[in-house]
Structures are given as structure tokens and as C-alpha cells.
Amino acid sequence: MALEKIKLVQGRAVPVPGDAIDTDRIIPARFMKCVTFDGLGEYLFYDVRKNDDGTDKPHPLNDPRYAGASILISGANFGCGSSREHAPQALYRHGFRAVVAESFAEIFFGNCTTLGIPCLSLKRADLRALTAAVEEDPSLPVTVDVEAAAVRLGDREFAGEIRPSARQALLEGRWDPIGELLEGLPAANASLSRLGYV
Amino acid sequence: MGKTLFEKVWDAHAVRDLANGQTQLLIATHLIHEVTSPQAFGMLRDLGLKVAHPERTFATVDHIVPTDQRTEPFSDPLADAMIRELRRNCEEFGITYFDIRSGRQGIVHIVGPEQGITQPGTTIACGDSHTSTHGAFGAVAFGIGTTQIRDVLATQTMAMGKLKVRRINVDGRLRPGVYAKDVILHIIRTLGVNGGTGYAYEYGGEVFDRFSMEERMTVCNMSIEGGARAGYVNPDETTYAYLKGRPYSPKGAAWEEAVERWRSFASDADCSYDDVVHFRAEDIPPTVTWGINPGQGISIDERVPSPDTVPAEEREAVEEALAYMKLPAGRPIKGTPIDVAFLGSCTNARLSDFVEVSKYLKGRRVASGIKAIAVPGSMGVDLLCKEMGLDEIFREAGFEWREAGCSMCLAMNPDKLIGDQLCASSSNRNFKGRQGSPTGRTILMSPLMVAAAAVTGEVSDAREIFEVEELVEA
């Protein structure tokens, strides 16, 4: 299966500050009553973004200065909690193509990678500096460089980290593993027999 | 050098290396439910793929199923569409489905064990983060996303990187009124909500040796709340005794062979761990959360933290949590008024939870104005409770006795908090909005502490309310 090789994500960024932003906050459970992922983008961060009557609360995603941002910046342990892929699906369908944070919860990280959304970790101080710069001028173009594991903004570069297996999968266009797993199906069937499962 | 259970299970199920350095890992048992699976079947159809081994996947309905009105069609058309979709997918692909009519429906992490589907030495995957529950049996069990559900359906494998193993020993004896729930809340409070990143947790020591399977499940269930991708307990005689005679457990001569094989998966005495942590059981208090993640816990005797007294880097998080919870800084958590008491969820809705609470609840009354609901984790648990008359004890005390499902743990069904109601909850997550209202508040605690809060109308020490110490000494 030929997939896009994801080396760079370029665009404007929006900071959604805070640590331990969980997947319930990214997409509240009631919006998972659906049989497709279509339309989930609309409900991204719904409860922190909208009042009960559907009007906007103050939130970076409601701030017109950040309209059209494709890179999300957040804090530590981003995406913790529920394994719902609805969270990265909502991010993707809202237009996000990369997430930069101090750290990521593992299931969320894996779910993002499988959708071709790079998740890059930055040190806390660098994240603060990046956030401050973006808040000061949201029109600045930001580059998430998967190959170099770095974030660039103007002439500044912040060295980050991305798990080697994810980095390689993104760079080589293997982030959705289904093709490779299907190639291994005969070997999997042999393992199933050997272990007495079939 | 010996191996850990995790390494043995991993090695046995590793099919081959993938190009990016991950492993194609065989999944022995796949569990699905109505919320995270429909899109996976959609992807399968889009790619023109079949389910490779339908006999290795089991389905039930838990998240959206109402716990009061159970006749189909459900009043919520979206919920009804999801349940129909699951039934259609199971019929089309030949997957065993424990639906409401089967009498075996329930929360997937309670159904797997009680049916004997969850077995030691196996890999288990399910599109739900609390899949770690199954680790109580010495299985290596992963919560996965929907695309990975597709992978498992299509190939019975998934791509995964190997984890490190942290051994968590809890030695000594738990004090009366301290439960498995307190053990895991205390572990998460100590090691942090992301302390387990990159690890599988192996729980052991005297406390786990003595624990029943249900208590082990409670602890393993919340491994993910500590950031660990999996959590397990080595299988032992307690494990085998639990599994013997269950519908999907091996029978006859196959049983002895299975036990011998299962035994071989336990961590070797001379294995080495990537990390080892020790706790003393006597140091673990009844624990409750005060904030908006499961690591924000304190002893029932402690005060809610104050932003002024915590390290500078934690100040913002404490302020945010206190503002959301509407709790005054520095005040005792005991005495905080509650609105709702919820006894249920895949963490604590097993027979032993209801048995233990009923011992103390008999003859007591839920405080006026408190909504109290008891939700058995499965139709099997419900039946056993009713045979023992436990449902009557709960009803007489003023609890509503509901039917099996996830209920108010995540509120994808009609059971929800309203406005900023505060819920004393035996569930696993106290995230903002988790229980269905964007401003709803959750305090996590053991089932007996939920009962204590229900009868007093405020966060209480169950040991005082129910005179737990005296009962034990008598």
C-alpha cells in the first residue's frame, strides 16, 4: 500500500496549553455515538470550546487569530485516558496534521502515528518558548521536521524527540501497517497453529 | 537468566519483525464492543478484507446500552443504530456475540474473565483502554485504537513495540477497610499518571498473592491510568481455581495440559526487571481523588492540596483542578457534600464488590436527596447478586439496582451527571466532563467508600461510618 512519506509538516500552529489533556476532553464520549468518523472534527474539544447553548467559550480554537492552524501545541501526557481513536480522528478532521507536546500517552501516540499524524516531544522550556512565540504572532509559519525530529519557527530551531519506530514509519510511508501485516498473515497463521489457538 | 511473564508471552506471540523495528504480534484473543468497532468493520469492507479468524474474536455491548429500559429499539436512535451495527457485523463475519438476549452480556472486561475466554499466557487486545484488566490472569492485554481493531480483525496480529517491565511489590497486610481500589489509587498517586509510560506493570508481593481474581482485576484495570500500556499478575492456583469450569475454559484432559502450560508462563525467580518498586500494604490508606486525573489522590484523612504549598511546577495544575472541582484549597476532603453515588464500572462491579458492600449496607439508608445507583458489571454478576438477595439489600437501602453496562462511568448512555453534580464513584476516571456533564465532578474511591458517601451524603471514611475496624476485631 503506497502511503505518503511524511517528512515535514508546515503550517500555522495553535497552542492549547495544559498538562494531561485527556481524550475525553479532546472528544467527549457522547460524540462517539456514531458508526463512522465523519464529522468528528466539529466536536473537537467541544466541552471546553462551547457553552451549553452552543455559543463559543474563550478557547484558542475559537480565536480567529489561529484559524486554519494545522499544528497543535500542548503540554505533558497529551492524549491520556481512553484509547478512543475518535480523538486523533477529530484532530485530523479538524485540520491538524501534527501535534507538538512535552509528552504523549502511548495509545494516543500510536493511534496518531497510524493515521499519519506525527507527534513530536519538546522539552518543557522549549515548548514554552515556542508557545510564547506563536501566541505573539500566530501568523508565523511553523515546521515540524520529522526527519530531524525538530520544530522550526523563523530562524529558531527546537530539538525534539520522536520514537524511532514512528519516525521511520512516517518517513518511509509505512505509518499504516496493514499492508505489512497482511504480508505476514501466513506466518501469523503458522503461529496460531503452533500455539494451539486454531 | 530467567524471563518475565511479559517476555515469555511476547516471545511466544512474536510473528516477525517489521521494517520500522516494531513486532508483528499475534493476538490470541480479540474482544470488541459497539463503540470502537463499527469504523473498523467499515475499513475492512473498504479494503475488501475478511475477518481472518472470527473464532478468536468475541463481542458484547456495554458502553451505550441503557441500564434501565432494555427493550429494543432503545429510545436513543443513535445508540440503537450502534447496537444494530454490531449485530450485523457479528452476523456477517461469524463472530460470537454476547448480546442482551444471550444472558451473558456485560462490560467486556467482566464478560471475558467470567466466560473463561481470558486465559493466562495469552495476548489479548480490545478497543478499550481498560483491557489491561485481563492482565490479572497473567495475560498480556492491550487497549487499542480502531485502526488496530481493523488490523487484528484482518490479520489476528498488530504492530507493537516491546515494553519494559516494572515490578511493583506490595508486601504486608492491608488494613481493614482498605481495598484493591485503594492499592491502585495509591500506586498511581505515588508513581504518577504518566509514570508507567513505556512499561508493563507486573504486580506482585504478599498482597497480590492473597488477592482474589476480582481484586487483581481491579488493580490491573487501572494500570492505564498510571500510564502503563499493560499490567499483570503472574498466574497461580487462585487463577486456575477461578477459571476451572467456566464456559470457555479447557475441559477434561485439556484442562491439566492447559494449567501446566499456563504455569510455565509465570515470571522466573531469576528474571530481571527494568525497574522494581516496593510498597508496604500498611502504608496504604483508603484513598480518594480530589482533582481531575486519577493521580490526584489523597488519603481520606488528608486535606485537599493548596496551590501555595505545592512545588511551583505543580501550582497551575492544582489551581485548575481545584477550580473545576469547586473545592476549597487546604480543607479536609472528608465532609465534602456529594450528589450522586455510583457503584459500577469495569473497575468495581463484580460479585465480590457487591458482597462486600452489602455486608455493611444492610439496614442503612441512603441520605435524602442523594441519587445512588448500583450497576452490576454483567448479566452474570446480576444473576449471582439476585440469587444471594444482594439487590434487595441495595434497594432497601435506597440504591437503584440497574442492569449490566458501563453506565455512569463514561455516560454514553442515559446515566449521566447533571450540571456540576459531584459523584462519589467506584469507576476509574475523574476527568473533566467524564460522567456526562461538561461541569460534572467525580471523586474516585472504593465501593465501600461509595456506600459510606451514599449513606452520609458526603465524602466519608467508611471505617468510621460502618465501624469496619470493630467488625473485623469482633
Side-chain angles (χ1 to χ4, degrees), chain B residues 120-159:
Chain B
T122 61
T123 48
I124 297 177
C126 175
D128 189 283
S129 58
H130 294 114
T131 305
S132 55
T133 311
H134 305 268
F137 291 79
V140 173
F142 300 114
I144 59 176
T146 296
T147 304
Q148 285 175 303
I149 298 174
R150 174 206 65 185
D151 295 346
V152 178
L153 289 172
T155 69
Q156 205 60 39
T157 66
M158 62 183 209

Short mmCIF file of all heavy atoms in Angstrom, two decimals, chain B residues 120-159:
data_model
loop_
_atom_site.label_atom_id
_atom_site.label_comp_id
_atom_site.label_asym_id
_atom_site.label_seq_id
_atom_site.Cartn_x
_atom_site.Cartn_y
_atom_site.Cartn_z
N PRO B 120 -4.44 -17.32 30.90
CA PRO B 120 -3.03 -16.97 31.15
C PRO B 120 -2.14 -17.24 29.93
O PRO B 120 -2.44 -18.10 29.10
CB PRO B 120 -2.63 -17.90 32.31
CG PRO B 120 -3.92 -18.29 32.95
CD PRO B 120 -4.93 -18.33 31.85
N GLY B 121 -1.07 -16.49 29.86
CA GLY B 121 -0.06 -16.74 28.84
C GLY B 121 -0.47 -16.34 27.44
O GLY B 121 0.20 -16.68 26.46
N THR B 122 -1.58 -15.61 27.33
CA THR B 122 -2.06 -15.21 26.00
C THR B 122 -1.90 -13.71 25.80
O THR B 122 -1.70 -12.97 26.76
CB THR B 122 -3.56 -15.56 25.83
OG1 THR B 122 -4.31 -14.85 26.82
CG2 THR B 122 -3.80 -17.05 26.00
N THR B 123 -2.03 -13.28 24.55
CA THR B 123 -2.15 -11.86 24.25
C THR B 123 -3.62 -11.57 24.00
O THR B 123 -4.33 -12.36 23.37
CB THR B 123 -1.36 -11.49 22.99
OG1 THR B 123 -1.68 -12.44 21.97
CG2 THR B 123 0.14 -11.49 23.25
N ILE B 124 -4.06 -10.43 24.52
CA ILE B 124 -5.46 -10.03 24.36
C ILE B 124 -5.47 -8.58 23.89
O ILE B 124 -4.66 -7.78 24.36
CB ILE B 124 -6.22 -10.19 25.69
CG1 ILE B 124 -6.25 -11.67 26.11
CG2 ILE B 124 -7.65 -9.63 25.59
CD1 ILE B 124 -6.90 -11.95 27.44
N ALA B 125 -6.35 -8.26 22.96
CA ALA B 125 -6.50 -6.87 22.55
C ALA B 125 -7.98 -6.52 22.51
O ALA B 125 -8.83 -7.39 22.24
CB ALA B 125 -5.87 -6.63 21.18
N CYS B 126 -8.27 -5.25 22.79
CA CYS B 126 -9.65 -4.77 22.74
C CYS B 126 -9.59 -3.27 22.55
O CYS B 126 -8.70 -2.61 23.10
CB CYS B 126 -10.38 -5.13 24.03
SG CYS B 126 -12.06 -4.47 24.14
N GLY B 127 -10.51 -2.74 21.80
CA GLY B 127 -10.55 -1.30 21.55
C GLY B 127 -11.08 -0.55 22.75
O GLY B 127 -12.10 0.14 22.67
N ASP B 128 -10.36 -0.68 23.85
CA ASP B 128 -10.76 -0.02 25.10
C ASP B 128 -9.55 -0.02 26.01
O ASP B 128 -8.90 -1.05 26.18
CB ASP B 128 -11.92 -0.80 25.74
CG ASP B 128 -12.50 -0.04 26.92
OD1 ASP B 128 -11.87 -0.03 27.99
OD2 ASP B 128 -13.56 0.58 26.75
N SER B 129 -9.25 1.14 26.59
CA SER B 129 -8.00 1.25 27.36
C SER B 129 -7.99 0.39 28.61
O SER B 129 -6.93 0.07 29.13
CB SER B 129 -7.76 2.71 27.72
OG SER B 129 -8.84 3.19 28.46
N HIS B 130 -9.15 0.00 29.11
CA HIS B 130 -9.17 -0.82 30.33
C HIS B 130 -9.00 -2.31 30.07
O HIS B 130 -9.23 -3.14 30.95
CB HIS B 130 -10.44 -0.51 31.13
CG HIS B 130 -10.42 0.89 31.65
ND1 HIS B 130 -11.29 1.86 31.23
CD2 HIS B 130 -9.55 1.51 32.48
CE1 HIS B 130 -10.97 3.00 31.82
NE2 HIS B 130 -9.92 2.83 32.57
N THR B 131 -8.57 -2.63 28.85
CA THR B 131 -8.24 -4.01 28.51
C THR B 131 -7.16 -4.57 29.42
O THR B 131 -7.05 -5.79 29.60
CB THR B 131 -7.81 -4.07 27.03
OG1 THR B 131 -8.84 -3.48 26.25
CG2 THR B 131 -7.58 -5.48 26.55
N SER B 132 -6.37 -3.70 30.02
CA SER B 132 -5.34 -4.13 30.97
C SER B 132 -5.92 -5.01 32.09
O SER B 132 -5.19 -5.78 32.71
CB SER B 132 -4.63 -2.91 31.57
OG SER B 132 -5.56 -2.02 32.15
N THR B 133 -7.23 -4.90 32.33
CA THR B 133 -7.91 -5.73 33.33
C THR B 133 -7.55 -7.21 33.20
O THR B 133 -7.33 -7.91 34.19
CB THR B 133 -9.45 -5.62 33.14
OG1 THR B 133 -9.80 -4.24 33.06
CG2 THR B 133 -10.20 -6.28 34.27
N HIS B 134 -7.49 -7.68 31.95
CA HIS B 134 -7.30 -9.11 31.70
C HIS B 134 -5.92 -9.61 32.13
O HIS B 134 -5.68 -10.80 32.23
CB HIS B 134 -7.56 -9.42 30.22
CG HIS B 134 -8.90 -8.95 29.76
ND1 HIS B 134 -10.02 -9.75 29.79
CD2 HIS B 134 -9.33 -7.74 29.32
CE1 HIS B 134 -11.08 -9.05 29.37
NE2 HIS B 134 -10.67 -7.83 29.09
N GLY B 135 -5.02 -8.65 32.37
CA GLY B 135 -3.69 -9.00 32.87
C GLY B 135 -3.74 -9.68 34.23
O GLY B 135 -2.79 -10.36 34.62
N ALA B 136 -4.85 -9.54 34.95
CA ALA B 136 -5.00 -10.21 36.24
C ALA B 136 -4.79 -11.71 36.12
O ALA B 136 -4.44 -12.38 37.10
CB ALA B 136 -6.38 -9.92 36.81
N PHE B 137 -5.00 -12.25 34.92
CA PHE B 137 -4.89 -13.70 34.68
C PHE B 137 -3.51 -14.11 34.18
O PHE B 137 -3.31 -15.25 33.79
CB PHE B 137 -5.97 -14.14 33.68
CG PHE B 137 -7.35 -14.06 34.27
CD1 PHE B 137 -8.00 -12.85 34.36
CD2 PHE B 137 -7.97 -15.19 34.77
CE1 PHE B 137 -9.27 -12.75 34.94
CE2 PHE B 137 -9.22 -15.12 35.35
CZ PHE B 137 -9.88 -13.89 35.44
N GLY B 138 -2.58 -13.16 34.14
CA GLY B 138 -1.29 -13.49 33.56
C GLY B 138 -1.34 -13.47 32.05
O GLY B 138 -0.57 -14.15 31.37
N ALA B 139 -2.28 -12.67 31.52
CA ALA B 139 -2.31 -12.42 30.08
C ALA B 139 -1.64 -11.07 29.85
O ALA B 139 -1.53 -10.26 30.77
CB ALA B 139 -3.75 -12.38 29.58
N VAL B 140 -1.19 -10.83 28.62
CA VAL B 140 -0.66 -9.52 28.26
C VAL B 140 -1.73 -8.86 27.40
O VAL B 140 -2.00 -9.31 26.28
CB VAL B 140 0.69 -9.63 27.54
CG1 VAL B 140 1.13 -8.27 27.03
CG2 VAL B 140 1.74 -10.20 28.49
N ALA B 141 -2.37 -7.84 27.96
CA ALA B 141 -3.59 -7.33 27.34
C ALA B 141 -3.47 -5.84 27.04
O ALA B 141 -3.11 -5.06 27.92
CB ALA B 141 -4.77 -7.58 28.28
N PHE B 142 -3.76 -5.49 25.79
CA PHE B 142 -3.57 -4.12 25.32
C PHE B 142 -4.88 -3.46 24.90
O PHE B 142 -5.66 -4.05 24.16
CB PHE B 142 -2.67 -4.11 24.08
CG PHE B 142 -1.30 -4.70 24.31
CD1 PHE B 142 -0.92 -5.87 23.67
CD2 PHE B 142 -0.39 -4.07 25.14
CE1 PHE B 142 0.34 -6.41 23.87
CE2 PHE B 142 0.87 -4.60 25.35
CZ PHE B 142 1.24 -5.77 24.71
N GLY B 143 -5.04 -2.21 25.31
CA GLY B 143 -6.09 -1.37 24.75
C GLY B 143 -5.59 -0.83 23.42
O GLY B 143 -4.44 -0.42 23.32
N ILE B 144 -6.44 -0.85 22.40
CA ILE B 144 -6.01 -0.44 21.06
C ILE B 144 -7.01 0.52 20.42
O ILE B 144 -8.14 0.64 20.88
CB ILE B 144 -5.80 -1.68 20.13
CG1 ILE B 144 -7.10 -2.49 19.98
CG2 ILE B 144 -4.66 -2.55 20.65
CD1 ILE B 144 -6.99 -3.67 19.01
N GLY B 145 -6.57 1.19 19.36
CA GLY B 145 -7.43 2.10 18.62
C GLY B 145 -8.20 1.34 17.54
O GLY B 145 -8.01 0.13 17.34
N THR B 146 -9.05 2.07 16.85
CA THR B 146 -9.94 1.43 15.87
C THR B 146 -9.19 0.90 14.65
O THR B 146 -9.51 -0.17 14.14
CB THR B 146 -11.03 2.44 15.45
OG1 THR B 146 -11.81 2.75 16.61
CG2 THR B 146 -11.94 1.87 14.38
N THR B 147 -8.17 1.62 14.19
CA THR B 147 -7.39 1.12 13.06
C THR B 147 -6.70 -0.19 13.43
O THR B 147 -6.58 -1.11 12.62
CB THR B 147 -6.39 2.18 12.58
OG1 THR B 147 -7.11 3.38 12.27
CG2 THR B 147 -5.64 1.73 11.33
N GLN B 148 -6.27 -0.28 14.69
CA GLN B 148 -5.67 -1.54 15.14
C GLN B 148 -6.70 -2.65 15.27
O GLN B 148 -6.38 -3.82 15.07
CB GLN B 148 -4.96 -1.33 16.48
CG GLN B 148 -3.64 -0.58 16.34
CD GLN B 148 -3.03 -0.28 17.69
OE1 GLN B 148 -3.65 0.35 18.53
NE2 GLN B 148 -1.81 -0.73 17.89
N ILE B 149 -7.95 -2.30 15.60
CA ILE B 149 -9.01 -3.31 15.60
C ILE B 149 -9.13 -3.90 14.19
O ILE B 149 -9.22 -5.11 14.01
CB ILE B 149 -10.37 -2.71 16.05
CG1 ILE B 149 -10.27 -2.19 17.48
CG2 ILE B 149 -11.49 -3.74 15.92
CD1 ILE B 149 -11.52 -1.45 17.96
N ARG B 150 -9.09 -3.00 13.21
CA ARG B 150 -9.09 -3.46 11.80
C ARG B 150 -7.93 -4.42 11.56
O ARG B 150 -8.10 -5.49 10.95
CB ARG B 150 -8.95 -2.25 10.87
CG ARG B 150 -8.79 -2.61 9.41
CD ARG B 150 -8.05 -1.53 8.63
NE ARG B 150 -6.66 -1.40 9.10
CZ ARG B 150 -5.82 -0.47 8.68
NH1 ARG B 150 -6.19 0.42 7.80
NH2 ARG B 150 -4.58 -0.43 9.14
N ASP B 151 -6.73 -4.05 12.05
CA ASP B 151 -5.56 -4.90 11.85
C ASP B 151 -5.77 -6.29 12.46
O ASP B 151 -5.43 -7.30 11.85
CB ASP B 151 -4.32 -4.25 12.49
CG ASP B 151 -3.93 -2.94 11.81
OD1 ASP B 151 -4.44 -2.67 10.70
OD2 ASP B 151 -3.12 -2.19 12.40
N VAL B 152 -6.31 -6.31 13.68
CA VAL B 152 -6.50 -7.59 14.36
C VAL B 152 -7.59 -8.41 13.65
O VAL B 152 -7.44 -9.62 13.46
CB VAL B 152 -6.82 -7.40 15.86
CG1 VAL B 152 -7.05 -8.74 16.54
CG2 VAL B 152 -5.68 -6.66 16.56
N LEU B 153 -8.65 -7.74 13.24
CA LEU B 153 -9.70 -8.47 12.51
C LEU B 153 -9.13 -9.08 11.23
O LEU B 153 -9.38 -10.24 10.91
CB LEU B 153 -10.86 -7.53 12.16
CG LEU B 153 -11.76 -7.06 13.32
CD1 LEU B 153 -12.73 -5.99 12.84
CD2 LEU B 153 -12.52 -8.23 13.95
N ALA B 154 -8.34 -8.29 10.51
CA ALA B 154 -7.87 -8.73 9.19
C ALA B 154 -6.72 -9.73 9.27
O ALA B 154 -6.56 -10.56 8.37
CB ALA B 154 -7.43 -7.52 8.36
N THR B 155 -5.92 -9.66 10.34
CA THR B 155 -4.70 -10.49 10.37
C THR B 155 -4.48 -11.25 11.67
O THR B 155 -3.52 -12.01 11.78
CB THR B 155 -3.45 -9.61 10.13
OG1 THR B 155 -3.25 -8.76 11.27
CG2 THR B 155 -3.59 -8.75 8.88
N GLN B 156 -5.32 -11.01 12.68
CA GLN B 156 -5.11 -11.58 14.03
C GLN B 156 -3.76 -11.15 14.63
O GLN B 156 -3.22 -11.79 15.52
CB GLN B 156 -5.24 -13.12 14.00
CG GLN B 156 -5.64 -13.75 15.35
CD GLN B 156 -6.98 -13.25 15.88
OE1 GLN B 156 -7.93 -13.04 15.13
NE2 GLN B 156 -7.07 -13.04 17.17
N THR B 157 -3.22 -10.05 14.09
CA THR B 157 -1.96 -9.52 14.60
C THR B 157 -2.05 -7.99 14.67
O THR B 157 -2.97 -7.39 14.11
CB THR B 157 -0.76 -9.85 13.68
OG1 THR B 157 -0.94 -9.16 12.42
CG2 THR B 157 -0.63 -11.33 13.41
N MET B 158 -1.07 -7.40 15.33
CA MET B 158 -0.94 -5.95 15.25
C MET B 158 0.53 -5.57 15.37
O MET B 158 1.36 -6.38 15.80
CB MET B 158 -1.80 -5.26 16.32
CG MET B 158 -1.42 -5.59 17.73
SD MET B 158 -2.57 -4.78 18.86
CE MET B 158 -1.52 -4.56 20.29
N ALA B 159 0.83 -4.33 15.00
CA ALA B 159 2.21 -3.84 15.09
C ALA B 159 2.40 -3.22 16.47
O ALA B 159 1.57 -2.43 16.92
CB ALA B 159 2.45 -2.79 14.01
#
